[in-house]
């Protein structure tokens, strides 16, 4: 059951080194401003910072008080203010206002801004335009990567998605390139790099430039291959409801920076408990990748085992009891605590998720993926909107419908949109504009269904011309081509077959056997073929932009057998979901390799769509 | 005695003739201001520098160490007090008024700067130019008897040192020390000695200085700043450490005539202190013992202190005076039995084909000192200046090596390479008389720089290739310098130069074409610069120069190509200030990446600009969205509606009727909400249509809800759901029943059942079960907990999955018969 125990799994590199590096640099930066100081931290940096340096460490380096950046006037009596922020124009403007207010009040303080992971020119421009450039000192904390778990590295940049894919702002591209460069300089170079997507290509370019500028290091690589993938290559997967345990916990309770807060309904007491969710948690690590229908049974079996372990003490003599208390009891207690929490969580999950509503929701999703009974699905979505069931879920279903159907018919598009606006207000006109821009929710252009055109043309001319024509068409309208992709890559298993979720046979298990995540399938195919050959049609439908490069360490052929050759680094640009991670873990187990996931942030359907609402701009 | 030993007669000191000077000076070095750079650097001469008449312009001449002319030009600026060389072979001329002029070693003017107001007012009295790990420094004694000091002329930070107490006139002598990462000045005023640092003036006393001295007349600091020598008016030379904690020796020269110059002559790690003192016509080497070595000088000379000795330059000759290196002494000492000496002898016999070779060899081997012997010979070869001697020693070493297994070859091979390079640069035509010790200290990179400064590009490249220097520090760097020089040649056309540069640099790694282009631009050749930039592979590097050259469109597209958004921002912000608004927008329009970046910036900084941008593009859709967004920021309803009206106009222009109509609806809704708020006091403004209706229904304003339903074409289904929910919430079951019968429900009757169950009213729920359609019957029965009813319905419908659902709801308490019936029905259905 547990994925961690498979035979012959390659060792993963030790990523705690990255934390140490980040901590040392932060301490160095804090010491650059000697004396007592107040520290203001961007709210979304709080949790990541906590993983790197806790309050005690900060206090040791003369941080007096800690504040959260709230973009409001501040109350601080300190003469030195230090700001630890993401490079955002808004925050910098707020700081400039503070400085100017102090100036008016005739108050003298020292200000230091530490940008992480890097400084942007635009931020400095703001300082300059506000006339405080000379009053503040700025620095960079190159904290690019936070290891969330043994095999998950996060850039903790949720805004990457919106900035890059919606706003067309490519400033984070270099950040992603630098993160890869950091991994390379700490853990050695890669033998092969694959990627798909415009952003992936740019990230690779930026990384390559860093490689060329820096010194060449020849050391044993700790990863064999790197795969870069843009989130907009596959929007379907993150829009589906998650049903593996970890994904479900994320959907329901929102995992934040590797930890989750379980509310009173889970803890069965009157307070909330924060729990770290990673491979250190023995109970969690055994169930995280399981379909939730298996989890409850597993947990109760576990509880029984635990009881047996406790029961051992009956009939023990004093000596044995002493040994039991000192050796086992602590471990058992710990396990007991975690077990009860996870049982609580899965109970609350079952309560919510086995209800009729959820079953119907899943059924609709599966129908959409299969392209089956679309009319019924639309009726279902309509009802969902009309009853105001959930703002985000309705939107999610609409998007899923549009992507799988290559856009909505004009009539449906208008009526669904009008109904949605009636339910949730006209401000969502902006949301719809955003969704359309990203190709998530579109209106079909009357009378032209590309796939039909294409197949017609295909009969007349040879393949190559079809390719060109399709390119021309797809540049006209960004089409998702989901149906065709699904067919070609066999993403949706034949319906009607029984799928035993206890013994998964492919990656589809992460969606109850109904769908293999497109992103993961692509990775599987490319690794299998060692490149994109044979996938030409697929990449054409994904708007091309694929690449495969052989890296610097050419001698790697010789030591093909080392562990490192079986470790694959997958970087998701724009976020990845826990379901995808579970699917990759499964794939790794099947293929005798291991995947390390680097992502700009952990995402799920709610986060993805919330990023596209327009209330925060 | 062999021929090489002749020079070693003077115990510890060896005098090597480096060059016969190639220059032809009429009066030798008399009345000249002379500066010779260390490490065999160039020599600058300024004749008659003190002449103040404007008509007579002194000639400034620069020579190589071998006396070959490098540059010569008449001096047109003010009175020069001092000449000196920087670490990068630039000539520094200190003028009386405190201005410093910098020239390159070929006489090209580079820049000038001042040593501050105080210096220019009170004029320069004396100057010392010194080198430290921080670069080249200048210390000036002003007419006001104050010291001003700068540690690095490339990053001028002037420091004015504290006053020296009791100083009436110019101090008898002074020197600059570098200690504890700080530059200090050591000043002698009569017999008093002071150390000046940033903050204080501290009196110091050299330990054991002989008491008969009434004044210190000369002092010098060793190359490494570790040692200090003082000469007193009584003719005593005191030598000790520069921190004045330790005395090494004191020697009486018995000469009281005024000294011309004094310098340390010492090699690194040597145990013996020795200094050279120069008087008119006489040179004296003083050391640890009481005895001194005297040399007679025919001509006016100057001393140039080096890391491992002193160079003596006269009008005709150039010599190096140094302590005999250990290895050479061992080998060449008369009747030496050192292993190296024996090996040399053995090899000599071997050349003569004499069997004595074997005897010598045996002798060394018996003491198992053969590897030591080889090492000695190699090391000694390094110290020799004569190629013949070098060869003899290296051959001996090579011979010895034959009898050794496992002797590491690096030292021998390295030495052969080094010597080949050294001999090449020592050549008369090049004139850089480096010793091996100096060469190692200076490093190959610096040597290549020096060759480049002298424009000896082919030699520099040969050296790089020969020493296998990594390309980007070696050949590429030289080529870059060559190219920078080449682009300044005015007589050739742009095409020719660009072609020549690209051909030569084609396959060299790590070339920065932008640097070369910058040089071209600086010398006024913009077109050439652009041509050269085309070769630059990193587009990011091209941008700053393109901006400087005012080629903004090109700069912008290159910045975008680089993928570095910071760079794009740099260009965009530059353009914003440089161009008028219209042109600026036009340029952005053609560059979507830059445009979206700028939009991001405007979103936070300049909302209005954002509007202008959309306007310029006639992007009415975006303008509409812009106004909708703006409407949400307004508190006042009228302003809000105003924005929405603008949005409507824009949407119509964009031919987006849907959005326009929706926005009009919203305006209507807002007015309606406001009216009702005023009339009924319910908070409504800003709610969505759905929420408004929910509120109205919940407070019993059915009529108004109805009105909205009609006015806004709310679908029947939604309205039914709303009514249903509102009634159930109020538990108004009677009204609900009435409602259910008002007409045929568009949402079916299952929701009625469910809503009653949700409010725990099974009784009411049952009322609607019969109305539910066949497809939903099973669900409805199950919802009210009627398993039997559900079973009936399922069996009737012969639906396998429904039967299954019912079965799963059967518990132990249910009727066995029912379960059986169900199972049977299931089996029958399955068969079909």
């Amino acid at each position: 059951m547990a994925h961690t125990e498979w035979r012959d799994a390659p060792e993963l590199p030790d990523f705690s080194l990255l934390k140490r590096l980040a901590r040392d640099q932060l301490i160095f930066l804090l010491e650059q401003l000697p004396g007592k100081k107040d520290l203001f931290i961007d709210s979304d940096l709080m949790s990541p910072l906590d993983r790197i340096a806790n309050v005690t460490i900060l206090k040791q380096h003369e941080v007096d008080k800690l504040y959260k950046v709230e973009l409001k006037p501040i109350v601080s009596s300190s003469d030195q203010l230090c700001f630890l922020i993401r490079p955002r124009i808004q925050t910098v403007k707020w700081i400039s206002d503070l400085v100017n207010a102090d100036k008016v009040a005739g108050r003298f303080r020292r200000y230091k801004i530490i940008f992480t992971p890097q400084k942007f020119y635009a931020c400095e421009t703001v300082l300059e335009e506000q006339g405080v450039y000379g009053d503040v000192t700025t620095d960079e904390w190159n904290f690019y990567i936070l290891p969330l778990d043994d095999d998950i590295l996060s850039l903790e940049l949720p805004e990457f998605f919106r900035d890059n894919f919606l706003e067309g702002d490519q400033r984070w591209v270099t950040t992603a390139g630098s993160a890869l460069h950091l991994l390379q300089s700490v853990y050695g170079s890669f033998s092969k790099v694959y990627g798909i997507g415009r952003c992936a290509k740019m990230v690779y370019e930026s990384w390559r430039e860093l490689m060329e500028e820096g010194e060449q290091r020849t050391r044993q690589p700790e990863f064999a291959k790197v795969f870069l993938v843009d989130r907009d290559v596959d929007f379907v997967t993150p829009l589906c409801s998650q049903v593996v345990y970890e994904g479900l916990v994320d959907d329901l309770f929102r995992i934040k920076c590797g930890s989750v807060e379980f509310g009173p309904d889970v803890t069965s007491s009157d307070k909330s408990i924060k729990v770290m969710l990673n491979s250190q948690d023995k109970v969690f690590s055994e169930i995280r990748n399981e379909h939730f229908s298996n989890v409850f049974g597993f947990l109760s079996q576990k509880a029984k085992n635990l009881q047996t372990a406790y029961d051992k003490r009956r009939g023990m003599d004093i000596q044995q009891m002493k040994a039991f208390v000192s050796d086992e009891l602590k471990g058992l207690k710990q396990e007991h605590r975690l077990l009860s929490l996870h049982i609580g969580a899965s109970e609350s999950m079952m309560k919510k998720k086995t209800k009729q509503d959820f079953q119907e929701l899943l059924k609709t999703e599966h129908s959409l993926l299969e392209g089956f009974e679309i009319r019924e699905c639309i009726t279902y979505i309509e009802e969902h909107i009309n009853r105001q069931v959930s703002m985000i879920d309705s939107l999610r279903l609409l998007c899923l419908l549009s992507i799988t159907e290559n856009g909505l018919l004009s009539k449906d598009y208008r009526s669904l949109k009008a109904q949605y606006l009636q339910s949730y207000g006209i401000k969502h006109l902006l949301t719809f504009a955003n969704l359309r821009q990203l190709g998530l929710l579109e209106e079909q252009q009357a009378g032209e269904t590309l796939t039909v055109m294409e197949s017609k043309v295909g009969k007349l001319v040879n393949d190559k011309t079809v390719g060109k024509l399709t390119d021309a068409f797809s540049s006209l309208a960004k089409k998702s081509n989901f149906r065709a992709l699904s067919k070609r890559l066999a993403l949706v298993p034949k319906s009607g077959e029984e799928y035993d979720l206890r013994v998964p046979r492919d990656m589809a298990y992460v969606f109850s056997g109904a769908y293999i995540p497109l992103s993961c399938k692509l990775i599987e195919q490319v690794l299998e073929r060692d490149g994109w050959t044979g996938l030409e049609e697929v990449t054409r439908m994904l708007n091309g932009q694929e690449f495969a490069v052989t890296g610097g360490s050419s001698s790697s052929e010789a030591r093909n057998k080392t562990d490192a050759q079986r470790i694959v680094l997958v970087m998701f640009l724009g976020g990845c979901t826990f379901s995808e991670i579970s699917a990759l873990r499964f794939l790794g187990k099947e293929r005798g390799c291991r995947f390390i996931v680097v992502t700009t942030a952990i995402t799920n359907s709610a986060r993805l769509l919330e990023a596209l609402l327009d209330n925060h701009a | 005695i062999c021929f090489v030993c002749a020079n070693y007669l003077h115990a510890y000191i060896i005098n090597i003739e480096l060059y016969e000077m190639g220059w032809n000076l009429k009066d030798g070095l008399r009345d000249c201001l002379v500066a010779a750079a260390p490490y065999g650097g160039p020599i600058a001469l300024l004749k008659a520098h003190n002449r103040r008449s404007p008509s007579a312009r002194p000639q400034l001449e620069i020579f190589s160490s071998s006396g070959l002319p490098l540059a010569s030009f008449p001096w047109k600026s003010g009175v020069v007090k001092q000449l000196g060389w920087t670490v990068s072979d630039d000539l520094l001329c200190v003028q009386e008024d405190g201005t410093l002029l910098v020239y390159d070693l070929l006489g090209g003017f580079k820049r000038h700067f001042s040593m501050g107001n105080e210096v220019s007012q009170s004029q320069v009295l004396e100057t010392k130019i010194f080198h430290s790990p921080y670069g080249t420094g200048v210390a000036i004694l002003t007419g006001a008897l104050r010291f001003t000091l700068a540690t690095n002329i490339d990053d001028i930070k002037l420091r004015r040192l504290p006053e020296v107490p009791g100083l009436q006139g110019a101090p008898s002598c002074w020197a600059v020390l570098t200690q504890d990462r700080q530059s200090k000045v050591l000043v002698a005023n009569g017999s008093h000695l002071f150390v000046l640092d940033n903050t204080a003036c501290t009196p110091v006393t050299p330990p054991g200085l002989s008491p008969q001295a009434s004044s210190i007349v000369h002092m010098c600091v060793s190359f490494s700043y570790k040692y200090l020598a003082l000469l007193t008016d009584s003719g005593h030379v005191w030598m000790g450490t520069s921190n004045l904690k330790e005395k090494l020796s004191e020697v009486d020269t018995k000469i009281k005539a005024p000294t011309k110059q004094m310098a340390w002559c010492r090699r690194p790690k040597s145990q013996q202190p020795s200094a050279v003192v120069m008087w008119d016509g006489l040179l004296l080497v003083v050391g640890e013992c009481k005895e001194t070595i005297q040399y007679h000088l025919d001509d006016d000379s100057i001393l140039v202190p080096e890391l491992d000795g002193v160079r003596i330059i006269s009008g005709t000759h150039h010599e190096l005076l140094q302590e005999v290196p250990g290895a050479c002494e061992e080998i060449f000492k008369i009747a030496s039995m050192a292993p190296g000496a024996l090996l040399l002898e053995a090899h000599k016999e071997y050349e003569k084909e004499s069997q004595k070779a074997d005897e010598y060899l045996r002798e060394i081997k018996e003491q198992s000192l053969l590897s030591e012997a080889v090492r000695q010979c190699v090391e000694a070869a390094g110290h020799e200046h004569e190629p013949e001697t070098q060869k003899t020693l290296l051959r001996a070493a090579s011979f010895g090596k034959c009898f050794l297994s496992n002797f590491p070859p690096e030292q021998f091979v390295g030495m052969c390479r080094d010597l080949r390079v050294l001999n090449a640069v020592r050549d008369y035509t090049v004139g850089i008389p480096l010793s091996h010790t100096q060469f190692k200290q200076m490093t190959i990179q610096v040597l290549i720089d020096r060759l480049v400064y002298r424009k000896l590009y082919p030699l520099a490249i040969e050296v790089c290739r020969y020493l296998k220097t990594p390309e980007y520090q070696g050949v590429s760097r030289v080529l870059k310098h060559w190219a920078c020089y080449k682009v300044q040649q005015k007589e050739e056309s742009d095409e020719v130069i660009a072609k020549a540069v690209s051909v030569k640099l084609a396959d060299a790694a790590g070339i920065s074409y932008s640097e070369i282009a910058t040089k071209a631009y600086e010398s006024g050749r913009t077109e050439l610069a652009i041509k050269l930039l085309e070769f630059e592979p990193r587009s990011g590097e091209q941008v700053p120069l393109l901006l400087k050259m005012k080629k903004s469109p090109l700069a912008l597209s290159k910045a975008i190509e680089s993928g570095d958004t910071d760079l794009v921002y740099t260009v965009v912000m530059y353009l914003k200030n440089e161009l008028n608004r219209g042109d600026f927008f036009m340029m952005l329009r053609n560059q979507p990446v830059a445009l979206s970046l700028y939009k991001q910036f405007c979103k936070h900084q300049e909302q209005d600009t954002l509007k202008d941008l959309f306007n310029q593009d006639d992007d009415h859709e975006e303008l509409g969205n812009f106004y909708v967004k703006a409407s949400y920021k307004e508190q006042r309803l009228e302003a809000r509606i105003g924005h929405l009206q603008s949005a409507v106009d824009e949407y119509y222009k964009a031919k987006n009727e849907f959005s326009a109509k929706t926005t009009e609806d919203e305006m209507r809704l807002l007015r309606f909400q406001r009216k009702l708020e005023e009339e009924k006091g319910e908070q409504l403004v800003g709610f969505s249509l759905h929420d408004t209706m929910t509120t109205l229904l919940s407070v019993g304003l059915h009529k108004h809800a109805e009105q909205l339903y009609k006015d806004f074409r709310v679908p029947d289904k939604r309205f039914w759901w709303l009514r249903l929910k509102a009634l159930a919430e109020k538990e108004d079951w009677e009204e609900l029943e009435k409602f259910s019968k008002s007409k045929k429900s568009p949402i079916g009757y299952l929701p009625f059942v469910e809503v009653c169950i949700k409010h725990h009213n099974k009784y009411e729920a049952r009322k609607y079960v019969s109305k539910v359609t066949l497809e939903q019957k099973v669900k409805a029965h199950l919802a009210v907990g009627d398993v039997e009813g559900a079973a009936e319905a399922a069996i009737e419908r012969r639906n396998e999955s429904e039967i299954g659902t019912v079965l799963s709801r059967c518990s132990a308490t249910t009727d066995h018969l029912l379960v059986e019936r169900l199972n049977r029905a299931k089996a029958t259905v399955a068969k079909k």
Side-chain angles (χ1 to χ4, degrees), chain A residues 93 121-122 129 167-171 360 383 386-388 417 419 421-423 425-427 430, chain B residues 565-566 569-570 576 596-597 600 603 605 625 632 658 662 666 688-691 712 718 721 779:
Chain A
K93 196 155 178 237
Y121 182 75
E129 286 194 352
E167 314 275 7
D169 176 348
Q170 297 158 351
R171 63 195 165 141
E360 268 170 38
E383 190 187 315
N386 281 335
R387 293 175 57 195
Q388 260 193 348
K417 195 163 144 187
Q419 297 188 43
L421 293 177
Q422 286 187 352
S423 277
I426 189 205
K427 58 175 177 288
L430 306 175
Chain B
T565 46
D566 270 2
Y569 256 126
T570 319
K576 185 183 156 198
S596 48
L597 268 178
Q600 284 282 79
K603 258 179 208 166
Q605 280 291 72
N625 291 343
Y632 278 92
F658 178 85
T662 321
E666 173 72 8
S688 72
L689 184 60
H690 185 104
D691 294 343
F712 288 90
R718 181 192 297 274
W721 277 112
K779 267 191 202 170

Side-chain angles (χ1 to χ4, degrees), chain B residues 712-731:
Chain B
F712 288 90
R713 297 179 309 278
V714 175
D716 286 349
K717 281 185 182 177
R718 181 192 297 274
F719 194 57
W720 277 70
W721 277 112
L722 278 166
R723 289 287 298 271
L724 179 66
K725 222 172 129 194
L727 290 171
E729 226 124 77
K730 281 199 277 183
E731 312 210 341

Side-chain angles (χ1 to χ4, degrees), chain A residues 30-65:
Chain A
L30 288 175
E31 281 174 354
Q32 301 284 296
L33 189 67
K36 285 233 179 273
K37 59 214 156 231
D38 282 359
L39 186 62
F40 291 77
I41 306 171
D42 245 346
S43 54
D44 50 354
L45 273 175
M46 296 285 242
S47 305
L49 178 67
D50 200 42
R51 299 275 174 283
I52 299 298
N54 53 27
V55 178
T56 330
I57 293 182
L58 295 178
K59 297 256 162 172
Q60 273 166 11
H61 295 89
E62 300 187 275
V63 170
D64 195 15
K65 290 194 188 97

Side-chain angles (χ1 to χ4, degrees), chain B residues 237-255:
Chain B
V237 176
W238 178 94
M239 285 182 275
T241 55
S242 62
N243 55 15
L244 293 162
K245 294 235 167 80
E246 201 184 328
K247 171 180 165 179
L248 296 172
S249 82
E250 194 170 25
V251 178
D252 186 3
T253 61
K254 306 191 179 70
I255 304 172

Side-chain angles (χ1 to χ4, degrees), chain B residues 45-64:
Chain B
L45 286 182
L46 187 62
K47 283 179 202 157
H49 58 102
N50 276 330
R51 237 177 275 157
R52 277 167 199 272
S53 80
S55 58
R57 284 189 171 141
Q59 193 75 6
L60 182 71
E61 288 176 283
I62 301 173
F63 297 95
S64 73

